[in-house]
Amino acid sequence: MSENRYLTFALGKGRLASKTMELLEEIGITCEEMKDKSSRKLIFVNEELKLKFFLAKGPDVPTYVEYGAADIGVVGKDTIMEENRRVYEVLDLGYGKCRMCVCGPKSAKELLKHHEMIRVASKYPNIAKDYFYNKKHQTVDIIKLNGSVELGPIVGLADVIVDIVETGSTLKENGLEVLEEICPLSARMIVNQVSMQMEPERIKKLILDLRSHL
Ligand code: PRP
């Protein structure tokens, strides 16, 4: 494909984007424009390498990549699972490690054993649905929340939650615990399916460089 085409990256805003830029820098891909923290720019360019970068809300990253607005995305496995977009997941970047778990008070453990009809609060209703319906074959009532999900069992909104556990301190400080582990999570690189056909050399080189560096 033409050497003049930009390869565009969509990065999940925040710590994930900073970690990704650090990693890319280690394999010789930089973007000086992005280092100016006071900048309000949304899109950053490296003219020499013909690369563009933009920062997006995590759940929007797979959307940009599926529609080809970005060729490549970096986002958490939790978001990839929840959004379930048609993209290729090509690389586990190894950082942002945590676990998707069913959590609640110790007393709720019994409710998970006997296929009881329980209420599950989560920021990840699709992951919760898939886990309870398809893996555990337990019919549950799923309640979507947008954050501070640990409140659910504490205030009596839900019996358990499906949420990310990193250090476990949020659970501990709120008298909750991990009841079941759903899957491990980390940052992943995703690629638009058409871009993979159109720019195989550039994208495969990037994946290989990252893989051998990691
Ligand atoms: C995440 C997650 C847990 C917490 C887990 O929340 O939803 O609440 O981090 O981390 P820990 O195991 O290290 O305590 P986040 O900070 O993203 O905010 P949110 O609750 O608004 O989603």
Side-chain angles (χ1 to χ4, degrees):
M1 196 46 198
S2 119
E3 283 300 301
N4 292 325
R5 189 183 176 277
Y6 285 93
L7 215 53
T8 301
F9 288 72
L11 307 178
K13 263 186 201 170
R15 241 183 334 160
L16 210 62
S18 316
K19 275 293 263 177
T20 305
M21 292 316 291
E22 273 172 35
L23 176 66
L24 289 174
E25 189 147 1
E26 287 164 15
I27 60 158
I29 295 176
T30 55
C31 188
E32 289 308 313
E33 272 193 337
M34 253 176 127
K35 293 181 179 164
D36 175 7
K37 297 291 172 219
S38 64
S39 169
R40 305 284 294 172
K41 272 181 91 164
L42 293 172
I43 189 145
F44 306 93
V45 186
N46 179 329
E47 288 294 350
E48 200 187 323
L49 297 176
K50 289 279 177 258
L51 297 173
K52 285 186 186 172
F53 299 87
F54 66 82
L55 303 177
K57 283 260 188 191
D60 294 338
V61 169
T63 314
Y64 285 111
V65 175
E66 179 182 292
Y67 284 92
D71 301 287
I72 294 168
V74 175
V75 73
K77 176 70 177 173
D78 49 316
T79 305
I80 297 172
M81 287 165 68
E82 181 62 23
E83 297 301 314
N84 198 20
R85 294 279 177 181
R86 277 168 300 177
V87 295
Y88 293 133
E89 183 186 321
V90 295
L91 198 57
D92 182 346
L93 296 167
Y95 45 84
K97 275 202 167 93
C98 48
R99 301 177 290 154
M100 185 63 74
C101 298
V102 181
C103 313
K106 205 188 188 91
S107 58
K109 210 169 175 103
E110 279 303 304
L111 302 174
L112 299 172
K113 283 188 191 151
H114 306 116
H115 292 90
E116 294 197 36
M117 178 72 186
I118 54 170
R119 282 189 173 170
V120 181
S122 186
K123 227 162 89 170
Y124 303 91
N126 294 326
I127 295 176
K129 207 177 289 171
D130 179 62
Y131 182 67
F132 278 98
Y133 291 12
N134 301 331
K135 304 218 167 65
K136 280 180 69 79
H137 307 291
Q138 181 170 5
T139 308
V140 297
D141 188 5
I142 290 165
I143 304 169
K144 159 95 197 234
L145 288 179
N146 293 296
S148 304
V149 178
E150 290 83 358
L151 270 173
I154 299 173
V155 300
L157 174 74
D159 299 292
V160 297
I161 60 173
V162 165
D163 201 18
I164 289 174
V165 179
E166 193 182 349
T167 61
S169 46
T170 311
L171 289 178
K172 204 167 167 202
E173 285 184 32
N174 292 289
L176 306 173
E177 56 186 66
V178 171
L179 303 174
E180 287 177 357
E181 185 170 326
I182 300 179
C183 62
L185 305 167
S186 55
R188 307 290 161 97
M189 178 169 282
I190 55 175
V191 176
N192 171 268
Q193 296 185 343
V194 176
S195 306
M196 199 61 141
Q197 312 304 321
M198 304 288 280
E199 296 278 356
E201 285 88 19
R202 284 177 86 188
I203 296 176
K204 279 182 188 154
K205 180 175 185 319
L206 172 70
I207 297 169
L208 283 177
D209 286 354
L210 283 170
R211 194 174 284 152
S212 50
H213 184 73
L214 291 165

